[in-house]
Amino acid sequence: MNDKAQGADRASERGKAKRNGAAVPAMDREELLGFYRQMLLIRRFEERAGQLYGMGLIAGFCHLYIGQEAVVVGLQSALKPGDQVITGYRDHGHMLACGMDPRGVMAELTGRAGGLSKGKGGSMHMFSREQNFFGGHGIVGAQVSLGTGLAFANRYRKNDHVAMIYFGDGAANQGQVYESFNMAMLWKLPAIYVIENNQYAMGTSVERSSSETHFYRRGSSFGIPGEEVDGMDVRAVRDAGTRAVARARAGEGPMILELKTYRYRGHSMSDPAKYRSREEVDQMRETRDPITQLENILLSAGLATEDDFKGIDREIRAIVADSADFARESPEPDPSELMTDIYS
Amino acid sequence: MAIEVLMPALSPTMEEGTLSKWLVKVGDAVKSGQIIAEIETDKANMDVEAVDEGVVSQILVPAGAVGVRVNTPILVLSGAGGPPASAGKAMPAPAASPPAEMRVAPVPAPASRMVLSADPELPAGVEMVATTIRDALRDAMAEEMRRDPDVFLMGEEVAQYQGAYKVSRSLLEEFGPDRVIDTPITEHGFAGLGVGAAMNGLRPIVEFMTWNFAMQAIDHIINSAGKTLYMSGGAITCPIVFRGPNGAASRVGAQHSQDYSAWYMQVPGLKVIAPYDAADAKGLLKAAIRDSNPVVFLEHELLYGEAHPVPAVADWVLPIGKAKIRRPGTDVTITAHSRMVGFALKAADQLAQQGISAEVIDLRTLRPLDIDTIVESVRKTNCLVSAEEGWRHAGVGAEIAALVTELAFDHLDAPPLRVTQADCPMPYAANLEVLSLPQVADIVAAVKAVLYRS
């Protein structure tokens, strides 16, 4: 192992030490309840999307984020307005966490005029200039080069914004990821590479696809430090995100965060997920679920009551029901939309 | 509030399936996300998860039932808290087919038609300066970089080396390393990086050392740059220019000698420009840099050193999408782009000596294609020959011939003919390379053929 790789490993160890050594992260009731609300919104939204898919109202590919909610909710809390976000095709949770309208997201899933892309993008392709969300990309790994370009523009303009670039353990084996790592470190770009390791690239487990299964080490050849993070603990995610963002804002260059997480559903709606056991899924769900974990933390610390959670649940169910109603009632795009937005 | 759980679809094409097993019974409390049943089709097995919470009050379809239609109620939950589920009865999926009038498009779709202006009028007595195409391209980039601080150039060897073909000579000295950026040899990566920077508001010029290497990056050119405006419903623009030498070089073999014109001109969302002379190279590159769409700018290595007059005006910008009649004529229309324009002009000279008056149209832009100028010419000459350096099959000439046949069939006196590269990879041997490429004599022969002259 060369010096740089060792450096990256040491940085990772430091990250772990900081996380474990600092013991209980700060407990801010409002912040944690905010996390709870956002995670629950994503969970309930995705469940409803799955339901609408089953009813034939959503078609094509539909990749649900259920189980991974703590990743995007924790990391987005480390950003400030004007920072950029980009991800792949499992993107509904990221859009909601970026503050994009659940109605617009759901109506895009149903392919209606009220969708964020006017019904022309679909599940994998939504964007928001206002929230600096740059997609929503269907080609595995493409968002990593594109996101590096978002970070490049920040450096070019000499502002202090950062780009948060999400991709999965599957995308982490694409060549352009390493082309991007190289340029990002060479030019000290404010890029945070978030590898959401949910342990399966579609149906292929990490062990069957990756010679180096510790993804936080994947920047070693470029001298990019990495950190492994418990992606089911929203507080740990927030803390790791805050450290990486501070480093990028300070002009110290990119960082890799490997978020250990898990998706409960199949890769897409048409995947029965027979490559893993029901016991494995149940065990994750029962012992590691990010929402239940946070609920227990808040309860045992006396920061919230069952009534608080019931109130939040009612509020979220109403938002999701409203988005589903909107998505069904919104008309199909006008036929004239077929030939618009091809050139600007 | 009772909630009906419906038979889900495992895929967009599933219509019915087998409810193989229930994992809950009447009276069971069900939590959101809990697996309640297993269903199967001939393709797959899948778990059915509960979306809502409640107590199972009724099982409507017994385990083992086959041929259960999608959206059939299979179970009833009662006693769920919260507001009533909006799931209700399934709504029919919206009709997917476009209106009938859109299924047949005998003329070019509107995407490729736009309102065009003519070339700018030159002031009387304007000085014309002999300039190589190489320097005309450099001047275009330098002028646009002076005009707009968001414009920058990146690519392999563009800065310190001054460009592999010296097109970016002296730009580093004027604009510095923040705006003239040497990249690693990493086409896929820096093309994607450029597209991301464009989405974030900059105006990158991405140089490929040759277009052959851009095949490593074609995903970002088409999928990321070309489609995002549409996929985002108009929200995200991508003002980027991809440029570099395209087409045949000299004695460099198959992997370094290919014409990509037809590849890129097929893609809606891209503009594709392939200039012939120095004035067009400058005026169209400046227009491309200012355009808010992704532009594929195809230069030609074998033309870089050729000098042509360029008007000495402050801001020489040409309209994208407008062909130019290089030589008026009455007997036959020859279309060509890039280096083949020079060949077509030479062929026209030879034909003139034989009493044949050829009109030579320089396409200049391949998408949008200025079909109006071509059709107008064919209505006058009644004959068409297209010349291109690329392959014949599904090439530029194939599209032009098809359009002219659709739009001016009654004006044609002969089937349109295409002059193209031979249908083989580019050979290395000198004699074979010449044999593979279209030559002036091939154009002359094709013109005589459409005119039934021997």
Side-chain angles (χ1 to χ4, degrees), chain B residues 178-229:
Chain B
D178 286 345
R179 298 183 67 195
V180 184
I181 301 159
D182 279 327
T183 65
I185 299 173
T186 188
E187 282 86 6
H188 196 181
F190 71 68
L193 189 152
V195 173
M199 289 175 176
N200 202 0
L202 299 183
R203 291 184 167 271
I205 306 167
V206 171
E207 175 175 311
F208 292 115
M209 194 179 289
T210 88
W211 275 95
N212 299 282
F213 310 152
M215 275 203 283
Q216 301 244 25
I218 197 167
D219 174 57
H220 280 301
I221 299 170
I222 294 176
N223 271 321
S224 302
K227 297 180 182 173
T228 297
L229 183 73

Side-chain angles (χ1 to χ4, degrees), chain B residues 57-300:
Chain B
S57 64
Q58 224 182 330
I59 285 180
L60 303 170
V61 175
V66 298
V68 181
R69 304 287 298 175
V70 167
N71 284 339
T72 305
I74 54 176
L75 173 138
V76 180
L77 289 177
S78 66
S86 66
K89 290 287 179 193
M91 304 259 295
S97 48
E101 68 268 23
M102 289 189 169
R103 289 190 192 131
V104 177
V107 292
S112 59
R113 310 294 294 267
M114 43 189 71
V115 179
L116 296 169
S117 53
D119 287 16
E121 294 281 335
L122 286 173
V126 66
E127 187 193 357
M128 300 297 281
V129 181
T131 310
T132 61
I133 288 173
R134 170 180 287 119
D135 288 346
L137 293 166
R138 189 269 319 276
D139 292 348
M141 290 191 283
E143 289 177 21
E144 293 307 300
M145 289 175 75
R146 282 174 209 132
R147 183 177 167 270
D148 183 349
D150 285 341
V151 177
F152 68 96
L153 172 67
M154 70 188 310
E156 294 155 7
E157 310 290 7
V158 299
Q160 294 192 15
Y161 195 89
Q162 306 283 303
Y165 297 100
K166 300 291 177 281
V167 173
S168 54
R169 194 176 49 189
S170 77
L171 292 181
L172 173 65
E173 287 67 28
E174 181 174 353
F175 299 102
D178 286 345
R179 298 183 67 195
V180 184
I181 301 159
D182 279 327
T183 65
I185 299 173
T186 188
E187 282 86 6
H188 196 181
F190 71 68
L193 189 152
V195 173
M199 289 175 176
N200 202 0
L202 299 183
R203 291 184 167 271
I205 306 167
V206 171
E207 175 175 311
F208 292 115
M209 194 179 289
T210 88
W211 275 95
N212 299 282
F213 310 152
M215 275 203 283
Q216 301 244 25
I218 197 167
D219 174 57
H220 280 301
I221 299 170
I222 294 176
N223 271 321
S224 302
K227 297 180 182 173
T228 297
L229 183 73
Y230 194 82
M231 296 193 305
S232 68
I236 305 290
T237 54
C238 187
I240 188 169
V241 176
F242 301 102
R243 51 156 289 273
N246 171 63
S250 182
R251 306 293 309 282
V252 290
Q255 291 184 339
H256 285 69
S257 279
Q258 185 176 336
D259 179 1
Y260 291 89
S261 304
W263 288 44
Y264 291 107
M265 73 180 272
Q266 214 212 356
V267 182
L270 297 180
K271 294 187 178 181
V272 182
I273 298 170
Y276 163 63
D277 75 4
D280 284 2
K282 182 178 183 186
L284 286 168
L285 183 54
K286 282 166 68 77
I289 294 167
R290 290 184 197 183
D291 201 282
S292 55
N293 299 285
V295 178
V296 166
F297 198 90
L298 304 169
E299 300 158 10
H300 204 297

